[in-house]
Amino acid sequence: MTQWIPGWTTRKPERRDLILALSGSDVVKPDTGWLHSGDSSLFRDNLPDSVSLGSYGGRDVFVTELPDTDTGSQELIPLRDALLVLGDAPVEMLSTGFQVWQWWLDHRYCGRCGAQTGFHPRERAKWCDACGIPWYPRLAPCVIVVIRRDDRLLLAKSSRTKRHFYSLIAGFVEPGESLEGAVHREVKEETGLEVTNIRYHASQAWPFPHQLMVGFFADYAGGELVLQEDEIADANWFLPGDTPPVPPETTISGQLIRAMENEISRGGIPV
Ligand SMILES: [Zn+2]
């Protein structure tokens, strides 16, 4: 049974509600589970500024942020660890919580006129009365692509990370661009290659701070590897089972790599 149901209410939290407490990029984790009861001593006399997320086990859930000084002896779990390492974390709820809280912080004032925003009367949006503009939570679509050339797949090491992983070509979709257009452009810019037969595989919310990763397969169509040095430190073609370290399968990149390895190993032609 799914206990977590995304949702929305404009009412303020009460003691009977559940609270997802954040502290910077950490989750403030209670001894059991991931949510605090609204009557926890952690919140002292008044519940802090909070915003609705949905419900868990039939009780409404709100998200808030606590200053470092108020987290007490609670365990702090970095969001990345919760999403990548801990197999039992409620990934969708935590991801939603971080993105909704970021939206709440970022839209206290109207981006057009500077007036203080309030609630939209019906939807999860901030609202500027003066301009009549809703401010919704931001989502930034990004493409990520695993490229196949015969029985090998392309893996690339980012110039921007200290991690030892080899991963996939990825980048933000630009205004006016289709997802397929973004795949062609990012692959060309970062590797010099042409691709064809682009097909959707899977997607993943990536709350750092609000990406939606859209994962594709593609086939090599032409060109030689010419790396964009400020983005890619190294890239090469690898046989399935003979790759350098790659991201875990809790990530869309890990899932795409594994799926392509399986496809090549089965000898199948991608469909
Ligand atoms: Zn305004």
mmCIF file of all heavy atoms in Angstrom, residues 101-133:
data_model
loop_
_atom_site.group_PDB
_atom_site.id
_atom_site.type_symbol
_atom_site.label_atom_id
_atom_site.label_comp_id
_atom_site.label_asym_id
_atom_site.label_seq_id
_atom_site.Cartn_x
_atom_site.Cartn_y
_atom_site.Cartn_z
ATOM 1 N N TRP A 101 9.703 23.117 -0.878
ATOM 2 C CA TRP A 101 10.250 24.107 0.063
ATOM 3 C C TRP A 101 11.092 25.153 -0.683
ATOM 4 O O TRP A 101 11.040 26.351 -0.382
ATOM 5 C CB TRP A 101 11.082 23.411 1.152
ATOM 6 C CG TRP A 101 11.554 24.386 2.183
ATOM 7 C CD1 TRP A 101 12.821 24.807 2.405
ATOM 8 C CD2 TRP A 101 10.730 25.114 3.104
ATOM 9 N NE1 TRP A 101 12.846 25.745 3.410
ATOM 10 C CE2 TRP A 101 11.573 25.947 3.856
ATOM 11 C CE3 TRP A 101 9.363 25.138 3.364
ATOM 12 C CZ2 TRP A 101 11.089 26.806 4.852
ATOM 13 C CZ3 TRP A 101 8.879 25.992 4.351
ATOM 14 C CH2 TRP A 101 9.741 26.802 5.082
ATOM 15 N N GLN A 102 11.850 24.709 -1.670
ATOM 16 C CA GLN A 102 12.650 25.653 -2.457
ATOM 17 C C GLN A 102 11.752 26.655 -3.167
ATOM 18 O O GLN A 102 12.038 27.862 -3.204
ATOM 19 C CB GLN A 102 13.492 24.891 -3.483
ATOM 20 C CG GLN A 102 14.625 25.692 -4.075
ATOM 21 C CD GLN A 102 15.663 26.070 -3.038
ATOM 22 O OE1 GLN A 102 16.103 25.229 -2.289
ATOM 23 N NE2 GLN A 102 16.011 27.346 -2.968
ATOM 24 N N TRP A 103 10.650 26.152 -3.723
ATOM 25 C CA TRP A 103 9.670 27.042 -4.380
ATOM 26 C C TRP A 103 9.117 28.057 -3.390
ATOM 27 O O TRP A 103 8.994 29.236 -3.684
ATOM 28 C CB TRP A 103 8.544 26.182 -4.966
ATOM 29 C CG TRP A 103 7.261 26.895 -5.200
ATOM 30 C CD1 TRP A 103 6.998 27.799 -6.180
ATOM 31 C CD2 TRP A 103 6.057 26.764 -4.450
ATOM 32 N NE1 TRP A 103 5.699 28.240 -6.079
ATOM 33 C CE2 TRP A 103 5.099 27.611 -5.019
ATOM 34 C CE3 TRP A 103 5.692 25.991 -3.328
ATOM 35 C CZ2 TRP A 103 3.805 27.729 -4.516
ATOM 36 C CZ3 TRP A 103 4.415 26.099 -2.832
ATOM 37 C CH2 TRP A 103 3.489 26.962 -3.430
ATOM 38 N N TRP A 104 8.793 27.586 -2.200
ATOM 39 C CA TRP A 104 8.226 28.451 -1.167
ATOM 40 C C TRP A 104 9.204 29.571 -0.811
ATOM 41 O O TRP A 104 8.821 30.739 -0.678
ATOM 42 C CB TRP A 104 7.927 27.586 0.061
ATOM 43 C CG TRP A 104 7.220 28.250 1.177
ATOM 44 C CD1 TRP A 104 7.734 28.563 2.407
ATOM 45 C CD2 TRP A 104 5.861 28.675 1.197
ATOM 46 N NE1 TRP A 104 6.784 29.147 3.172
ATOM 47 C CE2 TRP A 104 5.621 29.225 2.465
ATOM 48 C CE3 TRP A 104 4.832 28.637 0.270
ATOM 49 C CZ2 TRP A 104 4.393 29.753 2.815
ATOM 50 C CZ3 TRP A 104 3.609 29.158 0.621
ATOM 51 C CH2 TRP A 104 3.397 29.701 1.880
ATOM 52 N N LEU A 105 10.469 29.221 -0.690
ATOM 53 C CA LEU A 105 11.488 30.221 -0.353
ATOM 54 C C LEU A 105 11.706 31.208 -1.507
ATOM 55 O O LEU A 105 11.924 32.406 -1.278
ATOM 56 C CB LEU A 105 12.828 29.540 -0.050
ATOM 57 C CG LEU A 105 12.932 28.686 1.197
ATOM 58 C CD1 LEU A 105 14.333 28.099 1.292
ATOM 59 C CD2 LEU A 105 12.607 29.499 2.438
ATOM 60 N N ASP A 106 11.658 30.694 -2.725
ATOM 61 C CA ASP A 106 12.059 31.505 -3.891
ATOM 62 C C ASP A 106 10.958 32.439 -4.392
ATOM 63 O O ASP A 106 11.227 33.280 -5.256
ATOM 64 C CB ASP A 106 12.475 30.592 -5.057
ATOM 65 C CG ASP A 106 13.805 29.912 -4.797
ATOM 66 O OD1 ASP A 106 14.468 30.277 -3.828
ATOM 67 O OD2 ASP A 106 14.158 29.003 -5.573
ATOM 68 N N HIS A 107 9.734 32.262 -3.959
ATOM 69 C CA HIS A 107 8.628 33.060 -4.507
ATOM 70 C C HIS A 107 7.849 33.796 -3.425
ATOM 71 O O HIS A 107 6.636 33.939 -3.507
ATOM 72 C CB HIS A 107 7.707 32.173 -5.355
ATOM 73 C CG HIS A 107 8.387 31.658 -6.583
ATOM 74 N ND1 HIS A 107 8.590 32.435 -7.697
ATOM 75 C CD2 HIS A 107 8.969 30.467 -6.841
ATOM 76 C CE1 HIS A 107 9.248 31.724 -8.598
ATOM 77 N NE2 HIS A 107 9.494 30.534 -8.108
ATOM 78 N N ARG A 108 8.572 34.291 -2.439
ATOM 79 C CA ARG A 108 7.909 35.092 -1.401
ATOM 80 C C ARG A 108 7.454 36.428 -1.980
ATOM 81 O O ARG A 108 6.522 37.039 -1.488
ATOM 82 C CB ARG A 108 8.871 35.360 -0.242
ATOM 83 C CG ARG A 108 9.192 34.115 0.552
ATOM 84 C CD ARG A 108 10.310 34.372 1.555
ATOM 85 N NE ARG A 108 10.670 33.146 2.238
ATOM 86 C CZ ARG A 108 10.073 32.716 3.346
ATOM 87 N NH1 ARG A 108 9.104 33.413 3.899
ATOM 88 N NH2 ARG A 108 10.447 31.584 3.894
ATOM 89 N N TYR A 109 8.134 36.860 -3.015
ATOM 90 C CA TYR A 109 7.808 38.143 -3.658
ATOM 91 C C TYR A 109 7.611 37.917 -5.150
ATOM 92 O O TYR A 109 8.222 37.029 -5.747
ATOM 93 C CB TYR A 109 8.935 39.152 -3.416
ATOM 94 C CG TYR A 109 9.135 39.437 -1.957
ATOM 95 C CD1 TYR A 109 10.060 38.711 -1.229
ATOM 96 C CD2 TYR A 109 8.356 40.395 -1.300
ATOM 97 C CE1 TYR A 109 10.222 38.931 0.135
ATOM 98 C CE2 TYR A 109 8.519 40.627 0.056
ATOM 99 C CZ TYR A 109 9.448 39.889 0.771
ATOM 100 O OH TYR A 109 9.591 40.109 2.112
ATOM 101 N N CYS A 110 6.768 38.760 -5.743
ATOM 102 C CA CYS A 110 6.484 38.652 -7.168
ATOM 103 C C CYS A 110 7.737 39.026 -7.974
ATOM 104 O O CYS A 110 8.342 40.076 -7.732
ATOM 105 C CB CYS A 110 5.321 39.580 -7.520
ATOM 106 S SG CYS A 110 4.998 39.667 -9.297
ATOM 107 N N GLY A 111 8.093 38.173 -8.939
ATOM 108 C CA GLY A 111 9.271 38.431 -9.767
ATOM 109 C C GLY A 111 9.071 39.586 -10.735
ATOM 110 O O GLY A 111 10.041 40.094 -11.312
ATOM 111 N N ARG A 112 7.816 40.023 -10.927
ATOM 112 C CA ARG A 112 7.571 41.131 -11.852
ATOM 113 C C ARG A 112 7.494 42.476 -11.131
ATOM 114 O O ARG A 112 8.139 43.431 -11.536
ATOM 115 C CB ARG A 112 6.286 40.885 -12.642
ATOM 116 C CG ARG A 112 6.014 42.001 -13.644
ATOM 117 C CD ARG A 112 4.872 41.701 -14.575
ATOM 118 N NE ARG A 112 5.148 40.547 -15.438
ATOM 119 C CZ ARG A 112 4.311 40.117 -16.378
ATOM 120 N NH1 ARG A 112 3.164 40.734 -16.576
ATOM 121 N NH2 ARG A 112 4.626 39.072 -17.107
ATOM 122 N N CYS A 113 6.706 42.554 -10.048
ATOM 123 C CA CYS A 113 6.496 43.864 -9.405
ATOM 124 C C CYS A 113 7.129 43.962 -8.023
ATOM 125 O O CYS A 113 7.209 45.050 -7.466
ATOM 126 C CB CYS A 113 5.009 44.190 -9.325
ATOM 127 S SG CYS A 113 4.160 43.293 -8.008
ATOM 128 N N GLY A 114 7.552 42.847 -7.456
ATOM 129 C CA GLY A 114 8.215 42.896 -6.158
ATOM 130 C C GLY A 114 7.277 42.875 -4.968
ATOM 131 O O GLY A 114 7.741 42.902 -3.818
ATOM 132 N N ALA A 115 5.943 42.814 -5.206
ATOM 133 C CA ALA A 115 4.997 42.771 -4.081
ATOM 134 C C ALA A 115 5.070 41.399 -3.412
ATOM 135 O O ALA A 115 5.461 40.403 -4.030
ATOM 136 C CB ALA A 115 3.580 43.027 -4.593
ATOM 137 N N GLN A 116 4.675 41.372 -2.131
ATOM 138 C CA GLN A 116 4.635 40.098 -1.421
ATOM 139 C C GLN A 116 3.563 39.200 -2.057
ATOM 140 O O GLN A 116 2.478 39.685 -2.396
ATOM 141 C CB GLN A 116 4.316 40.335 0.052
ATOM 142 C CG GLN A 116 4.626 39.143 0.899
ATOM 143 C CD GLN A 116 4.752 39.506 2.377
ATOM 144 O OE1 GLN A 116 4.493 40.640 2.783
ATOM 145 N NE2 GLN A 116 5.134 38.541 3.174
ATOM 146 N N THR A 117 3.866 37.915 -2.213
ATOM 147 C CA THR A 117 2.895 36.996 -2.805
ATOM 148 C C THR A 117 2.077 36.308 -1.727
ATOM 149 O O THR A 117 2.517 36.191 -0.581
ATOM 150 C CB THR A 117 3.603 35.904 -3.643
ATOM 151 O OG1 THR A 117 4.575 35.278 -2.818
ATOM 152 C CG2 THR A 117 4.259 36.490 -4.875
ATOM 153 N N GLY A 118 0.888 35.839 -2.109
ATOM 154 C CA GLY A 118 0.068 35.028 -1.219
ATOM 155 C C GLY A 118 -0.182 33.680 -1.871
ATOM 156 O O GLY A 118 0.489 33.302 -2.833
ATOM 157 N N PHE A 119 -1.160 32.960 -1.350
ATOM 158 C CA PHE A 119 -1.541 31.686 -1.949
ATOM 159 C C PHE A 119 -2.416 31.909 -3.166
ATOM 160 O O PHE A 119 -3.293 32.775 -3.162
ATOM 161 C CB PHE A 119 -2.348 30.837 -0.976
ATOM 162 C CG PHE A 119 -1.520 30.075 0.013
ATOM 163 C CD1 PHE A 119 -1.714 30.231 1.367
ATOM 164 C CD2 PHE A 119 -0.559 29.182 -0.427
ATOM 165 C CE1 PHE A 119 -0.967 29.513 2.273
ATOM 166 C CE2 PHE A 119 0.196 28.464 0.479
ATOM 167 C CZ PHE A 119 -0.009 28.626 1.834
ATOM 168 N N HIS A 120 -2.227 31.076 -4.186
ATOM 169 C CA HIS A 120 -3.218 30.960 -5.247
ATOM 170 C C HIS A 120 -4.470 30.332 -4.621
ATOM 171 O O HIS A 120 -4.364 29.452 -3.767
ATOM 172 C CB HIS A 120 -2.670 30.053 -6.353
ATOM 173 C CG HIS A 120 -3.504 29.998 -7.584
ATOM 174 N ND1 HIS A 120 -4.694 29.315 -7.637
ATOM 175 C CD2 HIS A 120 -3.325 30.529 -8.818
ATOM 176 C CE1 HIS A 120 -5.210 29.438 -8.847
ATOM 177 N NE2 HIS A 120 -4.400 30.176 -9.581
ATOM 178 N N PRO A 121 -5.679 30.783 -5.020
ATOM 179 C CA PRO A 121 -6.880 30.281 -4.331
ATOM 180 C C PRO A 121 -7.161 28.796 -4.551
ATOM 181 O O PRO A 121 -7.828 28.173 -3.725
ATOM 182 C CB PRO A 121 -8.009 31.135 -4.927
ATOM 183 C CG PRO A 121 -7.466 31.708 -6.191
ATOM 184 C CD PRO A 121 -5.991 31.834 -5.994
ATOM 185 N N ARG A 122 -6.674 28.204 -5.636
ATOM 186 C CA ARG A 122 -7.079 26.821 -5.931
ATOM 187 C C ARG A 122 -5.911 25.863 -6.175
ATOM 188 O O ARG A 122 -6.077 24.660 -6.037
ATOM 189 C CB ARG A 122 -7.973 26.784 -7.181
ATOM 190 C CG ARG A 122 -9.324 27.451 -7.008
ATOM 191 C CD ARG A 122 -10.113 27.432 -8.293
ATOM 192 N NE ARG A 122 -9.389 28.082 -9.389
ATOM 193 C CZ ARG A 122 -9.293 29.407 -9.550
ATOM 194 N NH1 ARG A 122 -9.875 30.222 -8.696
ATOM 195 N NH2 ARG A 122 -8.603 29.920 -10.547
ATOM 196 N N GLU A 123 -4.772 26.373 -6.577
ATOM 197 C CA GLU A 123 -3.680 25.492 -6.999
ATOM 198 C C GLU A 123 -2.446 25.702 -6.135
ATOM 199 O O GLU A 123 -2.341 26.708 -5.437
ATOM 200 C CB GLU A 123 -3.310 25.800 -8.456
ATOM 201 C CG GLU A 123 -4.457 25.608 -9.415
ATOM 202 C CD GLU A 123 -4.048 25.967 -10.829
ATOM 203 O OE1 GLU A 123 -3.425 27.027 -11.009
ATOM 204 O OE2 GLU A 123 -4.334 25.180 -11.727
ATOM 205 N N ARG A 124 -1.501 24.740 -6.242
ATOM 206 C CA ARG A 124 -0.241 24.947 -5.527
ATOM 207 C C ARG A 124 0.579 25.955 -6.309
ATOM 208 O O ARG A 124 1.358 25.607 -7.203
ATOM 209 C CB ARG A 124 0.532 23.640 -5.376
ATOM 210 C CG ARG A 124 1.855 23.894 -4.626
ATOM 211 C CD ARG A 124 2.391 22.676 -3.966
ATOM 212 N NE ARG A 124 2.748 21.671 -4.928
ATOM 213 C CZ ARG A 124 2.916 20.395 -4.641
ATOM 214 N NH1 ARG A 124 2.748 19.972 -3.417
ATOM 215 N NH2 ARG A 124 3.237 19.537 -5.573
ATOM 216 N N ALA A 125 0.366 27.198 -5.973
ATOM 217 C CA ALA A 125 1.087 28.292 -6.620
ATOM 218 C C ALA A 125 1.052 29.490 -5.677
ATOM 219 O O ALA A 125 0.137 29.622 -4.865
ATOM 220 C CB ALA A 125 0.434 28.662 -7.948
ATOM 221 N N LYS A 126 2.095 30.324 -5.747
ATOM 222 C CA LYS A 126 2.025 31.624 -5.093
ATOM 223 C C LYS A 126 1.300 32.550 -6.066
ATOM 224 O O LYS A 126 1.259 32.311 -7.273
ATOM 225 C CB LYS A 126 3.435 32.148 -4.765
ATOM 226 C CG LYS A 126 4.244 31.268 -3.869
ATOM 227 C CD LYS A 126 3.613 30.993 -2.516
ATOM 228 C CE LYS A 126 3.601 32.169 -1.575
ATOM 229 N NZ LYS A 126 4.926 32.520 -1.040
ATOM 230 N N TRP A 127 0.763 33.645 -5.533
ATOM 231 C CA TRP A 127 -0.105 34.485 -6.346
ATOM 232 C C TRP A 127 0.183 35.955 -6.072
ATOM 233 O O TRP A 127 0.273 36.352 -4.893
ATOM 234 C CB TRP A 127 -1.568 34.155 -6.026
ATOM 235 C CG TRP A 127 -2.561 35.014 -6.724
ATOM 236 C CD1 TRP A 127 -3.287 36.031 -6.170
ATOM 237 C CD2 TRP A 127 -2.930 34.955 -8.102
ATOM 238 N NE1 TRP A 127 -4.103 36.598 -7.107
ATOM 239 C CE2 TRP A 127 -3.906 35.958 -8.307
ATOM 240 C CE3 TRP A 127 -2.539 34.152 -9.176
ATOM 241 C CZ2 TRP A 127 -4.486 36.182 -9.555
ATOM 242 C CZ3 TRP A 127 -3.126 34.371 -10.409
ATOM 243 C CH2 TRP A 127 -4.080 35.371 -10.591
ATOM 244 N N CYS A 128 0.344 36.752 -7.143
ATOM 245 C CA CYS A 128 0.502 38.195 -6.973
ATOM 246 C C CYS A 128 -0.823 38.862 -7.332
ATOM 247 O O CYS A 128 -1.249 38.805 -8.492
ATOM 248 C CB CYS A 128 1.622 38.731 -7.860
ATOM 249 S SG CYS A 128 1.745 40.535 -7.748
ATOM 250 N N ASP A 129 -1.441 39.479 -6.338
ATOM 251 C CA ASP A 129 -2.726 40.168 -6.557
ATOM 252 C C ASP A 129 -2.574 41.323 -7.534
ATOM 253 O O ASP A 129 -3.429 41.553 -8.384
ATOM 254 C CB ASP A 129 -3.261 40.723 -5.228
ATOM 255 C CG ASP A 129 -4.223 39.744 -4.583
ATOM 256 O OD1 ASP A 129 -4.773 38.892 -5.316
ATOM 257 O OD2 ASP A 129 -4.405 39.838 -3.354
ATOM 258 N N ALA A 130 -1.474 42.069 -7.406
ATOM 259 C CA ALA A 130 -1.299 43.270 -8.228
ATOM 260 C C ALA A 130 -1.165 42.916 -9.713
ATOM 261 O O ALA A 130 -1.738 43.582 -10.577
ATOM 262 C CB ALA A 130 -0.062 44.044 -7.750
ATOM 263 N N CYS A 131 -0.408 41.861 -10.014
ATOM 264 C CA CYS A 131 -0.137 41.491 -11.407
ATOM 265 C C CYS A 131 -1.095 40.421 -11.913
ATOM 266 O O CYS A 131 -1.185 40.220 -13.125
ATOM 267 C CB CYS A 131 1.288 40.969 -11.554
ATOM 268 S SG CYS A 131 2.559 42.152 -11.105
ATOM 269 N N GLY A 132 -1.770 39.704 -11.015
ATOM 270 C CA GLY A 132 -2.584 38.570 -11.446
ATOM 271 C C GLY A 132 -1.739 37.447 -12.016
ATOM 272 O O GLY A 132 -2.123 36.787 -12.980
ATOM 273 N N ILE A 133 -0.553 37.221 -11.438
ATOM 274 C CA ILE A 133 0.367 36.198 -11.955
ATOM 275 C C ILE A 133 0.522 35.077 -10.925
ATOM 276 O O ILE A 133 0.795 35.348 -9.763
ATOM 277 C CB ILE A 133 1.764 36.795 -12.231
ATOM 278 C CG1 ILE A 133 1.691 37.827 -13.342
ATOM 279 C CG2 ILE A 133 2.750 35.700 -12.622
ATOM 280 C CD1 ILE A 133 3.042 38.447 -13.635
#
